[in-house]
Amino acid sequence: MAVGSPKDARVSSLSLAGCWAVTGPGAVRGSPGGSVAVRCRYRGGFEDDPKFWCREGGRWRCSNGLFIVETSGSEAEVRRGRVSIQDNHTELAFTVTVENLTRADAGTYQCGVERFGRGPRATVELTVSPAVPYAIQTETTPQGTKQPDVSSSTKAESSCSPTAHTIPTHTTPTRFQPIIICFLLLVLLKVLFLLCIVCVLIWMSVRYRRRPREMVPERQTSS
């Protein structure tokens, strides 16, 4: 059984140790003719090491062992054709910008730190496709292809527009109706209570007025 050299073992251990030393967005998307910015972060201690951007060539390596663009370890921006890279030591992050995208730019890339030939890196999947904001579906009928109703779509857009709001006919929210009913019942109970008090007072006053009159014949009889 063949045993790898100590150098290969050292490089392998460095690669495994640095798997999480650099993190990227994982996947980015851009449209043809546009641009895309990829921001990759790294752990402290790699500030002065060069940062690179390359197309993945398999087995955690760059294609043909070449970098598309690479920094010198400083924060100065480095540009190579349509691709630029700039490091920020304070934020522990570097940004790769690809301009004037073409479909040939789509693929798997690596952003990483150059150290001992195989420094830590992260894989980024770049997709280049035209942006399709709305998907218009057509309905096929026996008479032919039916185009979407423009008026209905216009109504839908106007209803979704932030400036077009429909004012409801009922201004009183439903949740306030029970409160109003309870308030009315409370007022009715208070009115009934006051009426009962008034009735009792009237009855008592009438009773006290009749009592002296009832005592007058008794006095006359005794006299």
Side-chain angles (χ1 to χ4, degrees), residues 21-54:
V22 176
T23 57
V28 292
R29 187 187 189 91
S31 57
S35 62
V36 65
V38 182
R39 184 178 176 86
C40 297
R41 303 185 64 87
Y42 54 87
R43 262 187 343 202
F46 296 105
E47 290 88 344
D48 297 328
D49 293 310
K51 315 303 185 302
F52 67 86
W53 172 261
C54 70

Side-chain angles (χ1 to χ4, degrees), residues 11 21 59 79 177:
V11 171
R59 301 189 66 179
R79 177 176 293 273
Q177 291 180 358

Side-chain angles (χ1 to χ4, degrees), residues 154-176:
T154 305
K155 293 178 181 178
E157 291 178 0
S158 62
S159 64
C160 295
S161 175
T163 58
H165 296 284
T166 303
I167 300 176
T169 55
H170 300 284
T171 57
T172 304
T174 306
R175 61 180 181 178
F176 291 123

Side-chain angles (χ1 to χ4, degrees), residues 135-141 145-148:
I136 301 176
Q137 298 180 354
T138 58
E139 181 181 354
T140 303
T141 60
T145 302
K146 181 180 178 181
Q147 296 296 331

Side-chain angles (χ1 to χ4, degrees), residues 81-102:
R82 299 180 293 112
V83 186
S84 63
I85 186 172
Q86 187 172 15
D87 194 4
N88 190 320
H89 295 169
T90 304
E91 298 181 359
L92 299 178
F94 60 95
T95 303
V96 178
T97 305
V98 184
E99 301 174 349
N100 195 16
L101 288 168
T102 63

Side-chain angles (χ1 to χ4, degrees), residues 189-202:
L189 289 175
K190 288 184 177 180
V191 171
L192 291 176
F193 181 73
L194 291 175
L195 288 175
C196 292
I197 293 176
V198 171
C199 292
V200 170
L201 292 176
I202 293 173

